[in-house]
């Protein structure tokens, strides 16, 4: 039974129609039936894998449930790494987190004016190995150009799109997920565990 549209003065509180508790029960049962019932051993493997690559378990499990695959690569924008100018360096804590991640490829999309090769060398100097780096798509590239640029970078890193998680910073970067059919998007502050700050 669909709920009628709210009229003037309606506070969108719970419906007073009979059967509300039954509908709640049905909703809970249906939701529980959709959730996978994984053996404890599999959950432990997933928890270990999430820690190995530096993701929180909830995010990792969500990506696995959505795609049906394990992750093979992270795609970082230089915005996410807070590398905005040639002289910028990765924060020490962020570099340590990236260097500690095991069993995952690291790909970097360099925003102009940064040169992908220079970014790769600078990160290597901080102990962070990068498997592939290329120019990030921009506004002028359009949907097709964005898709081609991201897929070209993934091909260089030998990573299938639906197994690559984008760690990004901006709404434009979030659009790369749809354009290249990536596994998902995680904001950089969340991935790196940075304290959220108000930016001017």
């Amino acid at each position: 039974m669909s709920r009628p549209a709210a009229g003037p003065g309606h506070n969108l509180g719970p419906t007073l129609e009979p059967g509300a508790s039954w509908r709640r029960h049905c909703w809970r049962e249906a939701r529980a039936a959709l959730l996978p019932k994984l053996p404890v051993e599999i959950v432990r493997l997933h928890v270990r894998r999430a820690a190995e690559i530096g993701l929180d378990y909830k995010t990792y499990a969500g990506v696995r449930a959505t795609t049906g695959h394990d992750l093979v690569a992270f795609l970082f924008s230089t915005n996410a790494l807070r590398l905005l100018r040639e002289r910028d360096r990765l924060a020490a804590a962020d570099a340590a987190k990236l260097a500690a991640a095991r069993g995952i490829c690291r790909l970097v999309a360099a925003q102009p004016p940064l040169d992908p090769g220079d970014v790769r060398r600078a990160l290597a100097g901080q102990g962070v190995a990068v498997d592939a780096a290329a120019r990030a798509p921009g506004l002028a590239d359009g949907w097709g150009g964005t898709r081609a640029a991201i897929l070209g970078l993934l091909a260089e890193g030998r990573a299938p799109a639906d197994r690559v998680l984008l760690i990004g910073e901006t709404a434009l970067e979030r659009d790369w997920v749809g354009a290249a059919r990536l596994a998902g998007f995680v904001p950089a502050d969340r991935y790196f565990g940075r304290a959220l700050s108000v930016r001017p």
Side-chain angles (χ1 to χ4, degrees), residues 37-90:
K37 293 178 175 48
L38 297 173
V40 174
E41 296 80 15
I42 300 297
V43 173
R44 284 187 185 133
L45 284 173
H46 288 182
V47 168
R48 194 175 311 127
R49 175 66 176 153
E52 183 179 80
I53 63 176
L55 269 184
D56 63 277
Y57 174 71
K58 185 177 178 182
T59 301
Y60 177 77
V63 171
R64 279 207 66 133
T66 303
T67 65
H69 300 294
D70 190 17
L71 293 170
V72 300
F74 289 136
L75 170 57
F76 296 92
S77 70
T78 47
N79 288 331
L81 299 175
R82 295 192 175 164
L83 303 175
L84 306 177
R85 294 171 298 277
E86 200 172 311
R87 66 179 180 274
D88 290 346
R89 292 294 171 257
L90 195 57

Side-chain angles (χ1 to χ4, degrees), residues 55 70 101 107 120 127 149 157 162 195:
L55 269 184
D70 190 17
L107 313 173
R120 192 173 184 170
D162 64 347

Side-chain angles (χ1 to χ4, degrees), residues 100-124:
R102 298 182 321 275
I104 193 102
C105 292
R106 297 166 196 88
L107 313 173
V108 176
Q111 302 280 6
L114 299 177
D115 175 75
D118 291 344
V119 169
R120 192 173 184 170
R121 285 186 288 278
L123 289 173

